[in-house]
Amino acid sequence: MTEFKKAYDAHLEEFQKNAHIKGMEAYQRLYRESLESPDTFWARQADHYLTWYKKWDTVLDYDFSEARIQWFGGGRLNASFNCLDRHLETREEAVAYYWEGDDTARAQAYTYGELYRRVNRFAAALRHKGVKKGDRVIIYLPMIIELPVAMLACARIGAVHSVVFGGFSAEAIANRINDCGAKVVITADGGFRSGKPVALKKNVDEALKKCPAVKTVIVVNHVDSGIFLTPGLEHWWHELIALPGLADEVEPEPMDAEDPLFILYTSGSTGKPKGVVHTHGGYLLYAAMTMEYVFDLHPGDIFWCTADIGWITGHSYILYGALVNGATSVMFEGVPSYPDFDRFWAIVEKYRVNKFYTAPTAIRSLAREGEAHVKKHDLSSLMLLGTVGEPINPEAWRWYHHHIGRDWCPVIDTWWQTETGGHMLTPLPGVAPVKPGSCAFPFFGIDPVIIDDAGEPVKHPDEEGLLCIRKPWPGMARTVFGDHERFISTYFSQAPGMYFTGDAARKDEDGYFWIIGRIDDVINVSGHRLGTAELESALVLHPHVAEAAVVGFPHAIKGQGIYAFVILKTGREPSDALKKELVAQVRREIGPIATIDVVQWAEGLPKTRSGKIMRRILKKIAANKLDELGDTSTIADESVIEKLIKDKVDVSK
Ligand code: WTA
């Protein structure tokens, strides 16, 4: 500890003057209370953070064996009211979002009052189109103000939004529309990326060929592409909200605390993405509370989370957590490299951002471009740096801390998941020194345990095992939409009586947690989760492919890259052209985030005698760890391995 203490606690004294949690003892006292008296603890938080139409009858009721979890049962509230209406009295003129376009000349500030008016108007438009409480609405938009407006308008009338990240394909949109039974889709003609328009509506058109139930498409005119809409089915956003007779204000629908607020799809180890369901009550509370404590939010802060709202990080910390707290955030449409690699730092300087939250992959890609880009800007406003999405390697951590954080800002490495709703393991800036690469301690109410293969808690510091959570917390997912059995089998079966995270971890002798990574067949590419089964299904759709196996391998920028072993059908010849076709095929099926880095042609795959592919071995081959192949005695035909090693693609090039 002493070594870290010296190097990385420069910020501590200063944070402790003003932080919400001052020092280890204060943290431990509150943490203990959160586990020993969860009802009192969480009732106090729910009272403090949220405005309720009706208070709850019971704080918590749960049974992990059936994955039945209920927080604030009988309570009634509305997420949109909590994000907007209750700030009007004191913060109507306060800025909710400083929106910054991809084009440096486009920027706009939106106050809480302005957001309130836009959300109400659009909620009225949705009602007019027949959207009712409980209906699902798919939102496929770029990072423009209509995205939070659409989400909050859904929440206001009790509809359940499901945002699909703009980088997903037509196929992915269609699957999500059909899985959740949405009849309404909200999109834009396009978005801007690196100065160029990117078409979005045409992906929706393509998707809708497979979605006969969709009755309404609402389109934002963002890039002025001059597209034509199908009368009756499709409507321009700006025309819809201008309809005469539409109400200016819509009463928020009083929702049960356990009513779904949104569905967000995420990859798992089987082929089909899961629709993770979050609630109006527990989720909202947990997003708000983690936002305030983890980023040590104070009035006057300018917060910037660089995630896309299409991911859980954006849902929780650009939208819900930020707005419940009445915070001021930056919302950015573009990419870190346009017009140049200093764009992030130019924005930090422009808005005097003091709390900045990004992903390790962004840090690595910017570090590669050198410090000159950083030095062009005054970053002295920065007080706190956060990261999320994947383990951060020590070099990237140090670059971030040194060049961006002046060797002073704490780096808050937050570990959490789509399913957890908010931060789970994370340093708090005023509590203790940070350690590069460690996500430090559990947040209040979180009871983590690392278990061994027998399901027993590990006995020694630094012993690796599976990370599980022993007790429910308000922000946890409640089900997989339409498939509760899958929710039970994915999260509550590996370690009965606990929530199973899918990550391996260890805890050191100072009590700091270190995440090792996924133990299931999920690859984390630039902080985005991709299931190997999804990738393999996309590959075998190609008429020349007989079989495919996909694994992750260490990648300098993306964290993990995608390595595909492909067996062609008899009579088909490998070629570079075919390789390109396969890469394009997977991008088309899933989206550009699923870009295969390496294709290795194979004649056979290592399989057990019962026919199961031995991924453990493929992973070692892809990572070039040939001396770590381990026990290969259960393999049906060992010569397959020699052949794969001989033909292996050198990923270091
Ligand atoms: C990984 C993103 C190490 C982890 C909020 C988890 C991390 C998965 C970290 C969830 C971190 C996320 N350190 N690994 N700080 N944060 N992960 O659902 O494997 O997109 O299970 O949620 O990302 O990814 P998801």
Side-chain angles (χ1 to χ4, degrees):
M1 178 67 129
T2 38
E3 178 207 335
F4 289 112
K5 213 168 153 40
K6 271 203 298 286
Y8 301 117
D9 71 350
H11 65 279
L12 260 188
E13 214 173 293
E14 199 136 338
F15 263 88
Q16 283 177 354
K17 284 188 212 142
N18 204 17
H20 292 298
I21 306 291
K22 301 178 177 66
M24 198 56 170
E25 216 176 287
Y27 161 76
Q28 280 172 341
R29 203 172 335 117
L30 207 53
Y31 180 66
R32 227 175 293 122
E33 192 215 343
S34 73
L35 291 194
E36 285 166 8
S37 322
D39 281 23
T40 334
F41 179 86
W42 286 113
R44 196 168 72 236
Q45 308 305 333
D47 247 336
H48 173 73
Y49 283 97
L50 304 176
T51 305
W52 299 77
Y53 299 121
K54 174 182 171 294
K55 290 282 168 69
W56 50 93
D57 303 320
T58 44
V59 174
L60 171 63
D61 182 17
Y62 80 105
D63 178 354
F64 271 177
S65 68
E66 306 166 17
R68 188 175 56 74
I69 303 136
Q70 180 189 282
W71 282 93
F72 311 111
R76 294 184 93 72
L77 80 168
N78 181 287
S80 155
F81 179 92
N82 276 279
C83 289
L84 299 170
D85 306 44
R86 68 189 191 119
H87 297 311
L88 288 186
E89 208 173 301
T90 53
R91 303 187 57 72
E92 184 168 358
E93 298 305 322
V95 172
Y97 295 116
Y98 285 111
W99 180 82
E100 169 88 6
D102 177 69
D103 179 344
T104 49
R106 282 181 84 170
Q108 170 99 43
Y110 297 94
T111 62
Y112 275 88
E114 176 67 18
L115 202 57
Y116 171 85
R117 287 183 285 278
R118 285 179 182 241
V119 168
N120 273 271
R121 194 75 186 167
F122 191 62
L126 286 177
R127 278 244 172 101
H128 171 76
K129 293 311 299 174
V131 180
K132 294 186 305 297
K133 178 174 172 180
D135 288 354
R136 275 82 58 205
V137 173
I138 289 279
I139 303 178
Y140 183 65
L141 282 172
M143 285 286 282
I144 55 178
I145 200 65
E146 285 81 357
L147 175 51
V149 168
M151 293 162 80
L152 291 167
C154 286
R156 194 161 189 91
I157 61 173
V160 181
H161 60 70
S162 185
V163 180
V164 179
F165 170 59
F168 276 119
S169 65
E171 190 63 30
I173 303 168
N175 291 340
R176 285 155 174 77
I177 291 174
N178 289 332
D179 187 79
C180 75
K183 296 193 192 69
V184 176
V185 177
I186 302 168
T187 187
D189 55 347
F192 288 106
R193 203 181 153 83
S194 303
K196 291 185 209 77
V198 182
L200 286 178
K201 171 65 168 38
K202 82 172 174 26
N203 291 343
V204 172
D205 295 345
E206 190 62 33
L208 290 193
K209 290 183 190 156
K210 294 188 179 161
C211 308
V214 171
K215 297 285 173 280
T216 304
V217 181
I218 301 172
V219 188
V220 178
N221 180 24
H222 182 55
V223 300
D224 258 333
S225 55
I227 55 169
F228 291 98
L229 303 188
T230 312
L233 171 73
E234 302 178 336
H235 312 272
W236 288 113
W237 172 297
H238 58 273
E239 287 179 8
L240 207 55
I241 58 168
L243 283 180
L246 218 55
D248 285 331
E249 294 199 330
V250 173
E251 269 304 298
E253 187 78 38
M255 302 297 285
D256 194 285
E258 280 295 309
D259 276 337
L261 173 61
F262 65 85
I263 302 169
L264 193 56
Y265 284 84
T266 188
S267 296
S269 36
T270 57
K272 200 168 150 246
K274 297 181 285 269
V276 171
V277 177
H278 282 293
T279 59
H280 268 259
Y283 166 82
L284 198 66
L285 170 62
Y286 198 69
M289 186 180 174
T290 46
M291 173 94 193
E292 181 167 41
Y293 280 107
V294 173
F295 302 121
D296 199 39
L297 205 64
H298 288 279
D301 278 353
I302 307 290
F303 177 76
W304 182 19
C305 164
T306 70
D308 191 289
I309 292 182
W311 306 109
I312 190 70
T313 306
H315 277 60
S316 297
Y317 301 114
I318 300 179
L319 204 76
Y320 290 111
L323 296 181
V324 170
N325 281 296
T328 298
S329 299
V330 172
M331 177 178 172
F332 177 42
E333 180 189 19
V335 295
S337 53
Y338 178 81
D340 206 344
F341 286 96
D342 68 336
R343 188 69 191 276
F344 271 8
W345 320 127
I347 294 174
V348 168
E349 180 176 19
K350 175 173 177 187
Y351 297 102
R352 304 291 297 157
V353 170
N354 68 339
K355 315 260 163 98
F356 178 72
Y357 191 33
T358 196
T361 187
I363 299 166
R364 286 191 298 265
S365 65
L366 292 173
R368 186 178 60 172
E369 302 301 323
E371 286 83 70
H373 294 291
V374 182
K375 294 212 171 97
K376 279 195 246 166
H377 299 282
D378 173 10
L379 303 186
S380 61
S381 56
L382 287 172
M383 293 179 69
L384 179 148
L385 304 175
T387 74
V388 59
E390 47 174 326
I392 179 162
N393 48 311
E395 307 81 72
W397 196 101
R398 292 204 176 85
W399 188 87
Y400 196 33
H401 186 248
H402 180 66
H403 292 288
I404 310 303
R406 316 183 294 284
D407 286 326
W408 184 85
C409 299
V411 176
I412 304 296
D413 182 350
T414 61
W415 175 85
W416 59 295
Q417 309 176 298
T418 304
E419 297 86 340
T420 70
H423 306 136
M424 298 291 281
L425 300 174
T426 175
L428 298 179
V431 166
V434 286
K435 296 189 185 188
S438 163
C439 50
F441 310 119
F443 190 73
F444 304 113
I446 304 307
D447 185 12
V449 58
I450 296 172
I451 59 169
D452 61 21
D453 289 344
E456 295 297 321
V458 298
K459 294 185 186 59
H460 310 289
D462 287 324
E463 210 175 314
E464 289 182 12
L466 304 181
L467 178 61
C468 294
I469 315 290
R470 278 186 280 223
K471 295 205 177 66
W473 64 99
M476 72 188 299
R478 299 298 195 266
T479 192
V480 167
F481 188 82
D483 196 350
H484 195 68
E485 277 309 308
R486 191 164 171 211
F487 188 60
I488 300 176
S489 64
T490 312
Y491 304 106
F492 299 93
S493 304
Q494 277 82 348
M498 299 181 207
Y499 168 82
F500 170 74
T501 66
D503 279 311
R506 66 187 168 85
K507 184 166 137 181
D508 71 17
E509 55 182 10
D510 298 321
Y512 284 64
F513 281 84
W514 300 77
I515 301 295
I516 292 150
R518 307 281 315 185
I519 54 113
D520 51 10
D521 292 324
V522 170
I523 313 183
N524 192 330
V525 181
S526 301
H528 303 320
R529 279 162 67 170
L530 292 167
T532 50
E534 266 174 275
L535 295 160
E536 288 161 7
S537 324
L539 279 169
V540 296
L541 282 178
H542 194 284
H544 295 181
V545 174
E547 197 177 3
V550 171
V551 295
F553 70 96
H555 188 286
I557 301 292
K558 301 182 191 176
Q560 279 192 298
I562 308 175
Y563 194 118
F565 296 87
V566 176
I567 303 180
L568 294 178
K569 288 188 179 153
T570 314
R572 297 295 173 185
E573 287 300 316
S575 69
D576 280 347
L578 183 53
K579 228 180 241 184
K580 284 206 185 98
E581 265 180 52
L582 293 181
V583 173
Q585 158 111 5
V586 177
R587 283 171 61 101
R588 204 163 43 241
E589 283 299 310
I590 300 174
I593 54 166
T595 301
I596 291 187
D597 297 278
V598 180
V599 173
Q600 173 173 346
W601 306 114
E603 282 165 23
L605 295 170
K607 291 188 181 166
T608 60
R609 287 186 179 84
S610 59
K612 225 171 148 328
I613 296 177
M614 297 173 83
R615 276 168 202 289
R616 167 175 71 78
I617 293 178
L618 293 177
K619 275 187 206 161
K620 296 291 180 196
I621 295 177
N624 209 8
K625 291 185 176 159
L626 303 179
D627 49 345
E628 292 177 21
L629 290 183
D631 181 11
T632 53
S633 59
T634 52
I635 186 171
D637 174 5
E638 281 196 68
S639 69
V640 166
I641 297 190
E642 282 158 37
K643 183 91 177 67
L644 286 175
I645 292 176
K646 191 164 108 344
D647 297 341
K648 109 163 230 49
V649 179
D650 184 358
V651 291
S652 63
K653 285 195 188 125

